[in-house]
Amino acid sequence: MQSFIAALLNSLDIALLLFVIAVGLNIIFGVLNVINFAHGALYMLGAYFAYTAMGLLGLSFWVALVVAPLLVAVVAIAIERLMLRTVYDRHITDSLLLTFALLLIIDESVRMIWGPSIQVVDPPALLTGTFSVFGLNYPVYGLFVIAVGIAMMLGLWLLFTRTRLGRIVRAAALDREMAQTLGINVPMVITGVFAFGAWIAAVGGVVAAPMRAIGPAMGEKIIIESFIVVVIGGLGSFPGTLLGALVLGFIHGFGGRYLPEINLVLPYIGMALVLLLKPQGLMGKGASA
């Protein structure tokens, strides 16, 4: 029973962190119709900005959790206005190449500024130690990650379904010309959505920093897992992102505990099965309700 509970909590921990990263990627695709390869690099910048804020500036983890994502959002605004805006009317491969180039540029910039070595961020004192769950001692920080994922999920659902801002974003995503006719500043909405997606990724980077080693390649690994999530769940689907993250989280959590020999290939097997049976994803456009 303790082994099962440990696998379950690990699965939720991984799944909800992946949801936080992948949902920003899916929001950007849903509104901008851009598959953003640089999303993982923005996640990495969030972790490095938090490391700098805590290590060099002596700020607390909680302050870094606020400041680092805002700085990444500013970087995202510059990227969208100076680069992405020039490829919106071109073929989707142009945006793929551009964002992939941005991923490589940001990776090399991180190596130049922070060096190639692995960095470590300590969790705040409030979140150290373990918590007893049915006799199992589970890290308090793992429960914090689960709580952040749930809070992000509920907050985004409320934003896009219960607020005027959410209706504006959905209108701009469905029909830009009609939204412009109705007086919506579509270019500003697009810039705001890209910055918001980057902010979400950076929040994930800061939250992941104390539990995952910070290194120049961390963005490449997370973007692969994020793409697996959105492929399984369906591009442009918010519920699909959550479902895909849960599927991949359970593959990692239970596969790592009970099938460690093939755990590395299990996510790709799962993605291949979904592509064969439902190419649009489990809850993507065209998927059955």
Side-chain angles (χ1 to χ4, degrees):
M1 177 60 72
Q2 288 187 350
S3 177
F4 176 82
I5 293 172
L8 178 63
L9 290 174
N10 286 334
S11 299
L12 291 174
D13 186 341
I14 296 168
L16 290 170
L17 179 60
L18 284 174
F19 169 78
V20 171
I21 311 303
V23 73
L25 181 70
N26 231 353
I27 289 171
I28 290 172
F29 173 79
V31 178
L32 279 68
N33 198 31
V34 168
I35 299 177
N36 181 23
F37 272 108
H39 197 71
L42 298 172
Y43 156 86
M44 175 179 63
L45 281 182
Y48 269 101
F49 285 166
Y51 164 75
T52 301
M54 296 172 65
L56 298 181
L57 302 180
L59 301 178
S60 70
F61 171 83
W62 306 108
V63 175
L65 183 58
V66 174
V67 173
L70 291 177
L71 292 176
V72 173
V74 172
V75 173
I77 290 172
I79 289 173
E80 194 278 333
R81 292 199 168 185
L82 298 176
M83 300 179 189
L84 271 183
R85 190 167 288 189
T86 63
V87 299
Y88 288 150
D89 297 327
R90 302 184 188 178
H91 195 271
I92 193 171
T93 54
D94 290 344
S95 62
L96 285 173
L97 291 172
L98 175 59
T99 56
F100 183 70
L102 284 170
L103 170 65
L104 298 179
I105 291 169
I106 295 174
D107 274 359
E108 289 304 314
S109 299
V110 165
R111 285 188 175 89
M112 292 173 60
I113 296 171
W114 285 280
S117 58
I118 301 300
Q119 310 295 343
V120 177
V121 172
D122 294 324
L126 181 65
L127 301 177
T128 56
T130 58
F131 184 84
S132 180
V133 182
F134 296 103
L136 172 72
N137 291 325
Y138 193 77
V140 173
Y141 196 84
L143 298 178
F144 169 71
V145 174
I146 294 173
V148 169
I150 294 173
M152 185 69 75
M153 176 183 63
L154 293 176
L156 290 173
W157 178 77
L158 289 172
L159 173 66
F160 287 112
T161 62
R162 295 292 186 268
T163 68
R164 182 174 181 272
L165 179 60
R167 290 192 292 271
I168 289 173
V169 170
R170 285 187 285 125
L174 291 172
D175 193 328
R176 295 185 187 180
E177 292 184 1
M178 181 59 70
Q180 191 83 42
T181 302
L182 293 174
I184 297 174
N185 189 335
V186 174
M188 183 177 292
V189 171
I190 289 174
T191 301
V193 166
F194 189 78
F196 183 58
W199 177 85
I200 295 173
V203 169
V206 178
V207 170
M211 58 185 294
R212 297 191 176 189
I214 300 176
M218 65 183 295
E220 298 172 11
K221 183 177 186 297
I222 200 69
I223 195 62
I224 293 173
E225 293 185 328
S226 298
F227 275 122
I228 293 175
V229 167
V230 297
V231 167
I232 291 175
L235 276 170
S237 170
F238 178 81
T241 306
L242 177 60
L243 179 60
L246 288 172
V247 170
L248 187 56
F250 275 76
I251 287 174
H252 279 309
F254 284 90
R257 183 167 292 271
Y258 298 112
L259 297 170
E261 301 84 0
I262 60 172
N263 187 44
L264 289 177
V265 300
L266 283 176
Y268 302 99
I269 294 173
M271 181 176 66
L273 289 174
V274 170
L275 288 174
L276 287 172
L277 299 175
K278 284 186 175 291
Q280 72 278 8
L282 297 177
M283 301 187 71
K285 295 177 180 178
S288 58

